[in-house]
Amino acid sequence: MWAFLVRPEGILCLSSALSVMAQLKYNFPPRLNQTHLTPSNLKNRVEGLKVKGSNFTLEGFPFLIVAGTIHYFRVPREYWYDRLLKLKSCGFNTVTTHIPWNLHEPLKGQFIFTKNLDFMSFLLTASEVGLWVILCPGPYIGVDLDLGGLPSWLLQDPKMKLRTTYRGFTNAVDIYFDHLIPRITSLQYHKGGPIIAVQLENEYGSYYKDKGYMRYIKKALVARKIQVLLLTADDGQDVTKGHIKNVLATLHMKNIHKETYQKLLLLQGPSPILMTVYTAKSFDTWGLLRRNLDLHLLMKDVQEMIKLRFSLNFYMFHGGTNFGFMGGAVETQKYEPVVTSYDYGALLTEDGDYTPEYFAFQEYFSSVLVVSTHLQSKHNPKAAYKSVIPTHYLTLWDILPYLEKSISAGGILMSKRNVHDRAQVFVDEKYIGVLDQSNDQLTLPAKNHYKNSWTLSILVENQGRITYGLNINSARKGLTGNIYLNNSPLKKFKIFSLEMKPKFIQRNLPNLWKPIHDHSVGPAFFLGFLRIANKPRDTLIKLEHWTKGVIFINGQNLGRYWSLGPQGTYYLPGVWLQPGNNEIIVFEEVKAGPEIKFTDSAHLGF
Ligand SMILES: *[C@@H]1O[C@H](CO)[C@@H](O)[C@H](O)[C@H]1NC(C)=O
Ligand SMILES: *[C@@H]1O[C@H](CO)[C@@H](O)[C@H](O)[C@H]1NC(C)=O
């Protein structure tokens, strides 16, 4: 689990743990000078990251890992250098990143490692700016992605057991690793690359459905020539279950208390402590308030951890954006899909700007570490473009004339929880209501309103598969069972999958756009053009009076929007715009607003 708020009791627990740890306190030099331990200063490589007693060492020198997480897939490639440079100049020495299997193998057997998924370039850029890399290749990674980064096609096997040694799963992992791991091996430390450690899976101790699974993952990596230090990462309470022999157990900061350290000591003897996920913030979910950062608590924890010579990793240093449909959901008491922004309250904002916390940490790190802050990235101004008024539209019925089921009577329509996650119901293209996790019943109008037979249409939306938890095997989407009308199951639906891939948006939308006079009713696509005279800049889209849908710019899926909030603006990277005309297509499910607005300041909620 990546997402949690540091609750007051969590802080108390940490403090008591810290006092227990005080006995291990070292006499710290005024400023720790690790500048000789950077990628460019270590050309002659003999011994990579090692565990020596309670220290990490690099080339035999004690080494404190000060890391931050950036996900290359949540940041436009053109901005990787900028974000990594900002990480380095804040005082960090390492970047942590995860590899999302579902994006790299979107269809079974179809692999993508180019453009925004060219993680090798991301790692080389990290090395270039002087950062080491901790790499998390999964196969399960969590990180608030749809199905925790596992491809949803795995669930086409009705017997699938994700994250176990079930053959259907390991066969798929083996094929994926055969494509993935050779791209990683040449970037390991001893080959001159920046990777100093590789994390196995993610928080397996909290899942733990198969005792042999972690051994299988370790073998799968080692057999493919992963030779750097291996890590596991777990919550304090699960650290014993997640741990495997000869792999360093590290911590995600939740429920940390004395017993955690005793457990760690028992498991692996004296060892360095690495907080693989340190965060005081979390992502936001639709319909709830924004979660806030308490810098005071965060700074106090970090200072204590550094004093005690904990290595640590900020999750996130820079969150970025859940572009497209990459965002997942959490299911605690109820199902909560994550919003499009993955700002996370991180040290850099979603669009890469500095925050006051960034400068506070830069100042703090430069007081305890020798930091090269001379590297500064240039400021990236944003634009508030003139509003775009959509000129054309296409209704969903125009492009899917056969999405239908004929019925001949009204009555009570029941989903019996077979709708995942949210369905709009229409009778003869007229909106009737929504079926979702909290409402599984609708009344269809009685017959006399209509002809002898009419068309029942159900538009089902996948709002994101759960990102962690014991129930990930059942995260199937769409209509997962019968829909009932007056207690009899309705059969013979024609089902159309509206995947809304860029290809579909660019080529398959038939050339049937109709001029807008006063049409605003969804579900429909609305088309407009943003004209830009000069070099495009970053901007934020504001959809006042629109309800819910997806935004595409020049064929790029920017992600979901929803008037429910808390998110009120949507990040549009300038590098995805071009001078001249830019095509904007908004798929609106309910009712379109009159215009698409742009602003230069983000509003992510209160
Ligand atoms: C840090 O160490 C490097 C060489 O290891 C040295 O050149 C540099 O002057 C040191 N910096 C400070 C501020 O002590
Ligand atoms: C760990 O590093 C500290 C600080 O450099 C050093 O004083 C200590 O001796 C090291 N401990 C071990 C076991 O190497």
Side-chain angles (χ1 to χ4, degrees):
M1 182 193 318
W2 291 95
F4 50 83
L5 287 164
V6 176
R7 287 179 296 265
E9 64 269 27
I11 298 294
L12 290 176
C13 289
L14 176 67
S15 314
S16 65
L18 290 173
S19 63
V20 169
M21 293 299 295
Q23 50 192 304
L24 297 177
K25 199 164 170 174
Y26 294 109
N27 279 333
F28 229 67
R31 288 205 298 164
L32 188 61
N33 187 350
Q34 307 197 123
T35 51
H36 56 301
L37 301 176
T38 58
S40 56
N41 287 341
L42 288 182
K43 293 268 187 267
N44 210 346
R45 298 182 182 189
V46 180
E47 192 185 78
L49 191 69
K50 286 269 167 337
V51 169
K52 291 254 167 76
S54 48
N55 291 340
F56 285 112
T57 61
L58 202 54
E59 293 299 336
F61 297 103
F63 182 63
L64 199 67
I65 300 169
V66 184
T69 303
I70 303 175
H71 290 142
Y72 56 96
F73 50 92
R74 282 179 161 131
V75 179
R77 178 186 180 131
E78 292 82 350
Y79 298 149
W80 288 348
Y81 177 78
D82 173 73
R83 308 308 194 248
L84 289 164
L85 193 60
K86 285 170 174 165
L87 179 68
K88 175 75 181 177
S89 53
C90 191
F92 291 86
N93 58 29
T94 302
V95 62
T96 298
T97 201
H98 297 77
I99 300 190
W101 182 5
N102 57 356
L103 301 183
H104 287 287
E105 193 181 354
L107 298 174
K108 192 174 177 170
Q110 185 202 83
F111 295 91
I112 308 176
F113 292 101
T114 54
K115 298 182 181 164
N116 232 91
L117 293 174
D118 180 3
F119 75 88
M120 296 173 74
S121 294
F122 179 79
L123 302 191
L124 289 169
T125 307
S127 176
E128 195 185 310
V129 306
L131 292 165
W132 300 110
V133 172
I134 297 175
L135 193 65
C136 310
Y140 169 85
I141 55 172
V143 302
D144 311 316
L145 289 180
D146 186 276
L147 206 58
L150 295 174
S152 58
W153 50 257
L154 289 167
L155 296 176
Q156 284 165 5
D157 172 351
K159 298 202 208 84
M160 178 51 67
K161 294 183 192 67
L162 301 172
R163 306 176 72 190
T164 68
T165 51
Y166 169 69
R167 268 299 187 71
F169 185 71
T170 55
N171 285 345
V173 171
D174 286 341
I175 294 169
Y176 168 56
F177 273 6
D178 284 344
H179 284 82
L180 174 71
I181 305 300
R183 296 169 203 268
I184 296 174
T185 49
S186 63
L187 295 173
Q188 296 180 98
Y189 179 87
H190 55 280
K191 304 262 174 141
I195 303 171
I196 52 171
V198 163
Q199 181 187 309
L200 275 61
E201 242 264 354
N202 187 57
E203 297 189 341
Y204 193 68
S206 69
Y207 191 74
Y208 201 59
K209 291 196 177 182
D210 184 333
K211 283 184 187 154
Y213 174 69
M214 287 297 271
R215 276 201 306 277
Y216 153 74
I217 294 295
K218 183 183 172 193
K219 240 170 116 180
L221 292 172
V222 171
R224 291 173 180 80
K225 302 204 166 55
I226 293 294
Q227 289 160 344
V228 293
L229 185 73
L230 297 178
L231 315 171
T232 56
D234 281 285
D235 279 352
Q237 67 201 29
D238 301 317
V239 86
T240 310
K241 282 190 279 177
H243 170 74
I244 58 169
K245 231 176 144 185
N246 297 325
V247 174
L248 183 74
T250 72
L251 296 175
H252 285 184
M253 200 184 109
K254 193 190 174 199
N255 302 329
I256 290 175
H257 39 70
K258 197 170 135 187
E259 290 84 71
T260 303
Y261 299 101
Q262 289 169 342
K263 264 194 244 170
L264 268 185
L265 201 70
L266 220 66
L267 276 178
Q268 55 193 21
S271 62
I273 289 172
L274 170 57
M275 283 292 174
T276 357
V277 170
Y278 180 69
T279 177
K281 185 58 172 67
S282 184
F283 58 85
D284 294 322
T285 55
W286 293 116
L288 295 182
L289 292 177
R290 182 143 202 242
R291 290 160 185 175
N292 280 314
L293 179 83
D294 187 333
L295 178 64
H296 176 72
L297 292 180
L298 182 70
M299 184 58 97
K300 187 169 155 283
D301 287 349
V302 170
Q303 286 178 349
E304 292 204 55
M305 286 194 274
I306 295 277
K307 239 187 250 160
L308 293 167
R309 229 180 145 63
F310 285 14
S311 282
L312 53 87
N313 177 59
F314 277 48
Y315 185 94
M316 301 288 295
F317 167 75
H318 170 48
T321 310
N322 288 314
F323 294 118
F325 301 119
M326 73 172 69
V330 290
E331 205 159 36
T332 40
Q333 279 91 344
K334 65 194 215 2
Y335 169 80
E336 293 174 20
V338 307
V339 302
T340 298
S341 169
Y342 201 65
D343 179 272
Y344 217 90
L347 298 194
L348 294 182
T349 62
E350 176 183 16
D351 43 47
D353 270 351
Y354 300 111
T355 60
E357 293 80 35
Y358 177 95
F359 293 113
F361 277 100
Q362 188 178 48
E363 192 185 330
Y364 167 65
F365 284 137
S366 63
S367 73
V368 290
L369 308 165
V370 175
V371 170
S372 42
T373 48
H374 62 280
L375 303 152
Q376 282 298 348
S377 200
K378 59 183 185 318
H379 185 59
N380 188 14
K382 286 186 277 291
Y385 292 113
K386 216 172 133 245
S387 295
V388 166
I389 298 176
T391 53
H392 291 77
Y393 78 101
L394 258 178
T395 70
L396 187 60
W397 323 116
D398 291 335
I399 62 161
L400 297 176
Y402 306 110
L403 177 108
E404 65 190 27
K405 160 75 189 165
S406 293
I407 53 172
S408 53
I412 305 291
L413 187 70
M414 295 212 297
S415 65
K416 304 206 172 164
R417 307 215 156 254
N418 287 327
V419 163
H420 296 275
D421 299 298
R422 188 176 188 272
Q424 289 191 72
V425 176
F426 302 85
V427 170
D428 279 350
E429 303 177 13
K430 183 174 170 292
Y431 174 76
I432 302 293
V434 167
L435 292 171
D436 62 16
Q437 314 262 329
S438 54
N439 178 36
D440 65 355
Q441 200 161 308
L442 280 179
T443 304
L444 300 189
K447 188 170 176 173
N448 59 358
H449 286 90
Y450 293 95
K451 309 161 268 184
N452 281 346
S453 122
W454 60 90
T455 303
L456 172 70
S457 311
I458 303 179
L459 177 63
V460 190
E461 182 201 0
N462 162 18
Q463 296 186 290
R465 293 177 188 81
I466 52 169
T467 189
Y468 63 82
L470 299 176
N471 298 326
I472 54 172
N473 289 310
S474 47
R476 295 187 176 84
K477 296 297 180 181
L479 293 180
T480 55
N482 284 328
I483 299 291
Y484 297 80
L485 183 59
N486 298 327
N487 279 323
S488 9
L490 292 171
K491 302 272 185 202
K492 294 186 188 149
F493 274 100
K494 287 194 176 165
I495 297 178
F496 293 84
S497 172
L498 261 175
E499 292 188 38
M500 300 218 190
K501 299 226 162 110
K503 229 193 235 165
F504 164 81
I505 294 297
Q506 285 181 310
R507 278 185 244 147
N508 299 32
L509 277 188
N511 199 9
L512 291 171
W513 291 103
K514 296 184 254 190
I516 292 181
H517 298 298
D518 55 3
H519 186 95
S520 63
V521 179
F525 296 88
F526 294 86
L527 171 69
F529 290 94
L530 171 63
R531 285 177 190 83
I532 296 179
N534 309 315
K535 191 175 170 290
R537 289 184 182 176
D538 283 9
T539 183
L540 296 130
I541 297 179
K542 205 170 169 181
L543 289 161
E544 278 170 6
H545 310 297
W546 296 69
T547 311
K548 183 176 188 302
V550 188
I551 313 165
F552 299 87
I553 303 278
N554 297 327
Q556 292 261 20
N557 185 342
L558 293 189
R560 304 172 173 105
Y561 68 91
W562 197 352
S563 59
L564 190 58
Q567 185 172 1
T569 57
Y570 300 87
Y571 178 47
L572 167 51
V575 290
W576 291 353
L577 293 169
Q578 60 203 22
N581 261 342
N582 293 275
E583 178 196 77
I584 304 184
I585 295 174
V586 179
F587 176 66
E588 165 63 48
E589 294 174 30
V590 184
K591 192 170 187 318
E595 56 184 14
I596 300 160
K597 291 187 174 172
F598 300 89
T599 155
D600 53 10
S601 60
H603 295 280
L604 297 177
F606 297 102

